[in-house]
Amino acid sequence: MKSLDYTTGKISGLLLKTAVPMLLASLVNMITQMANVFFMGHTGQDVLYVLSLYIPISFLLIALVEALQLSTQVTISRNRGKNQTEISSKLAHYAAGGLLLTIAVGLIVILCVPLFRYYYGIADSVHPLFSGYVRGMMIAAIPTVLGAIANAALRGLGMAQQASIIAVGTAAVNVLLVYLLVRVIGLSLSGIVYANMISGLLSLAAAVIYLIRTGHLKLPPRVWRMSQLILLRHVGVPVFVSYCLIFLSTLFYNGIISPYGESVIAGFGVGYRIQTMAILPGIVIGSAIGIIINQNMAEKKGERAYEGFKTGMQHSYAAYVLIAAGVWLFKDSIVSFLIVEEAARQEAAQYLSIVAPSYILMGPLMTALLTMEQTGQGYRALLLNSVYFILIVTAGFGMTSLLDQPEAFYWCIFFANLAGASVIIPTFRMYKKRYVQAASDPDHRAQEKVFSPQA
């Protein structure tokens, strides 16, 4: 399979060829997590409760994965025309940095387990299950992060299809392992840990072998240069902090609804996971737009870069008319399939009945934010994310305290999603000014800022 050239050809076709494999890869990862919910949802309420409590912590790992893989993807995408030794050096730097950061984050989370127990008020009978699951997932995160970096390098080289094949294959193995370890052998949550560890190692091995066989990965010079990680600062740090905001916000979300009992927390957790899956297409489209913009701006094709953004946003709006309608119409069937406990099932359906219609605007907003994060506007996206989550947490806490109903919190999320869409039109204007002007003036300051020679 040949790599794609994003500087020529029809943009709609390039978007589809890039976004569909990436969406498939992302969806299978989410399906893997939903399979975990399914197996645990048919096991008992305690394990489903632990999975819901783990959601905020999982966003710390997602923050690390997204920051490193987006930085790697953008770096490799901008440097794909350079010699293989240089590309290998950049990839090795991201792998080494990713390993150290994953270990550091894992140790911090493990040390903070007693604080999570106190904050959530976890019962003595549930705490060993929760603490053991957290420790295991921190260890399993190491191959997961490294595999994500290697697959991001494939996407940056224009081999999104190959990366998606690896993702689909390892996700299928993960689901099979969870079924065998949880349902057949009866390992409960530890089965998920072992499955994630094994599938992560397989994903890493497959990506590395493919990079070596295609000549894109060679032994780099043994010299550490921080300049190789320049885009980690401009792309990765804003993305990491944005996901850390999601960690903090979901931590507060669980805190807001925790007074209503384990069933409400479990139901909200399932509904929130379904929402996370629903917004994936918007995130993937934004990532595909970022690849198109980066490669075209590297060739000083500003007008084509803006056309890529405009076309991608149109695709995102069209997709979310269908997604929002589908989730809202089939919410009861989806929830009933995943969990059997009646109270948790009703709560998850209630959450989706209120929030799902707002996905029509929330999805394109995610597309715009992901595009910003990959095109030198990461701190702008971080500011918008901060305002969004602060609005939900403050309004949600106030309204639930006033009305004493979790539904009040869900309505706050709904209206925050509608309000967030107000930034999309200014984003269009910003990109039009930046890229169309850059096309007529190659020395435009914006272009120099986003595409510095160090990158």
Side-chain angles (χ1 to χ4, degrees):
M1 286 178 281
K2 297 180 179 180
S3 60
L4 296 175
D5 182 2
Y6 295 96
T7 60
T8 61
K10 191 175 181 180
I11 289 178
S12 293
L14 291 169
L15 274 170
L16 291 174
K17 290 179 181 178
T18 305
V20 171
M22 292 172 64
L23 177 60
L24 183 60
S26 298
L27 279 177
V28 295
N29 289 331
M30 282 305 304
I31 289 171
T32 299
Q33 297 200 24
M34 298 308 290
N36 295 343
V37 173
F38 172 79
F39 292 129
M40 295 300 120
H42 290 73
T43 301
Q45 181 172 306
D46 282 350
V47 290
L48 191 61
Y49 173 57
V50 169
L51 283 179
S52 297
L53 293 179
Y54 180 74
I55 289 177
I57 301 172
S58 70
F59 277 110
L60 278 179
L61 296 182
I62 294 173
L64 199 57
V65 168
E66 292 298 323
L68 289 165
Q69 73 175 2
L70 286 177
S71 298
T72 303
Q73 178 178 301
V74 174
T75 299
I76 301 300
S77 176
R78 294 185 185 180
N79 292 273
R80 61 184 295 187
K82 295 184 179 180
N83 63 72
Q84 303 305 325
T85 301
E86 180 69 15
I87 292 177
S88 296
S89 177
K90 292 181 182 296
L91 181 54
H93 277 74
Y94 277 110
L99 177 61
L100 294 175
L101 288 172
T102 305
I103 293 173
V105 170
L107 289 175
I108 292 171
V109 170
I110 291 172
L111 291 174
C112 290
V113 165
L115 297 178
F116 290 119
R117 180 186 184 184
Y118 174 78
Y119 177 74
Y120 286 133
I122 300 174
D124 292 341
S125 59
V126 179
H127 176 64
L129 195 65
F130 174 74
S131 59
Y133 183 66
V134 171
R135 286 194 296 268
M137 292 300 286
M138 294 304 105
I139 296 172
I142 294 175
T144 299
V145 171
L146 294 177
I149 292 172
N151 275 278
L154 289 175
R155 292 194 298 271
L157 290 165
M159 294 182 283
Q161 293 181 348
Q162 293 88 331
S164 69
I165 290 172
I166 293 172
V168 171
T170 53
V173 171
N174 185 284
V175 173
L176 177 60
L177 287 172
V178 170
Y179 171 76
L180 292 174
L181 296 173
V182 174
R183 296 299 296 272
V184 177
I185 299 178
L187 292 182
S188 188
L189 289 172
S190 59
I192 296 178
V193 173
Y194 293 136
N196 282 4
M197 191 175 300
I198 295 170
S199 60
L201 288 170
L202 289 175
S203 176
L204 172 60
V208 169
I209 290 171
Y210 195 89
L211 286 167
I212 292 174
R213 291 185 62 183
T214 55
H216 291 98
L217 183 59
K218 298 180 180 179
L219 187 64
R222 298 179 183 179
V223 179
W224 180 265
R225 291 181 292 164
M226 286 301 296
S227 61
Q228 298 283 52
L229 300 176
I230 188 69
L231 283 183
L232 188 60
R233 183 180 68 188
H234 295 296
V235 176
V237 171
V239 172
F240 180 79
V241 177
S242 292
Y243 276 96
C244 285
L245 285 175
I246 301 177
F247 156 71
L248 290 174
S249 63
T250 51
L251 195 67
F252 285 122
Y253 293 173
N254 278 348
I256 289 172
I257 62 175
S258 61
Y260 300 102
E262 291 185 10
S263 293
V264 172
I265 294 178
F268 169 75
V270 172
Y272 198 82
R273 285 181 185 273
I274 295 171
Q275 173 175 301
T276 303
M277 189 171 183
I279 64 175
L280 271 179
I283 293 174
V284 167
I285 294 172
S287 185
I289 295 172
I291 293 174
I292 291 174
I293 288 177
N294 283 323
Q295 290 203 15
N296 279 281
M297 288 305 294
E299 298 294 329
K300 297 181 174 60
K301 295 184 177 182
E303 291 185 357
R304 182 175 172 84
Y306 175 70
E307 186 65 26
F309 174 72
K310 184 172 68 173
T311 304
M313 290 298 297
Q314 291 170 350
H315 282 66
S316 183
Y317 275 110
Y320 274 94
V321 170
L322 300 176
I323 291 171
V327 173
W328 189 81
L329 290 172
F330 298 104
K331 57 185 179 296
D332 293 320
S333 299
I334 297 171
V335 171
S336 297
F337 174 74
L338 291 173
I339 51 179
V340 296
E341 205 272 319
E342 182 62 26
R345 188 166 59 193
Q346 290 180 356
E347 194 64 32
Q350 176 74 350
Y351 175 81
L352 293 175
S353 69
I354 294 173
V355 178
S358 67
Y359 298 163
I360 295 176
L361 296 177
M362 183 185 184
L365 174 62
M366 293 297 104
T367 299
L369 291 176
L370 258 292
T371 303
M372 289 182 194
E373 289 174 348
Q374 295 193 55
T375 55
Q377 298 295 310
Y379 289 101
R380 184 190 297 264
L382 174 60
L383 175 61
L384 294 173
N385 274 322
S386 301
V387 174
Y388 171 78
F389 289 119
I390 290 172
L391 177 63
I392 291 178
V393 170
T394 54
F397 179 78
M399 294 304 295
T400 51
S401 299
L402 179 65
L403 301 177
D404 195 27
Q405 291 182 346
E407 289 82 2
F409 173 56
Y410 305 158
W411 279 110
C412 290
I413 296 176
F414 171 85
F415 285 112
N417 289 342
L418 299 187
S422 62
V423 307
I424 293 178
I425 292 178
T427 302
F428 267 94
R429 293 172 179 169
M430 176 193 71
Y431 276 118
K432 185 174 183 179
K433 180 179 180 181
R434 176 176 291 268
Y435 295 139
V436 174
Q437 184 173 355
S440 59
D441 182 6
D443 295 324
H444 189 261
R445 181 181 177 183
Q447 183 175 340
E448 291 182 343
K449 181 179 180 180
V450 178
F451 296 91
S452 66
Q454 293 179 323

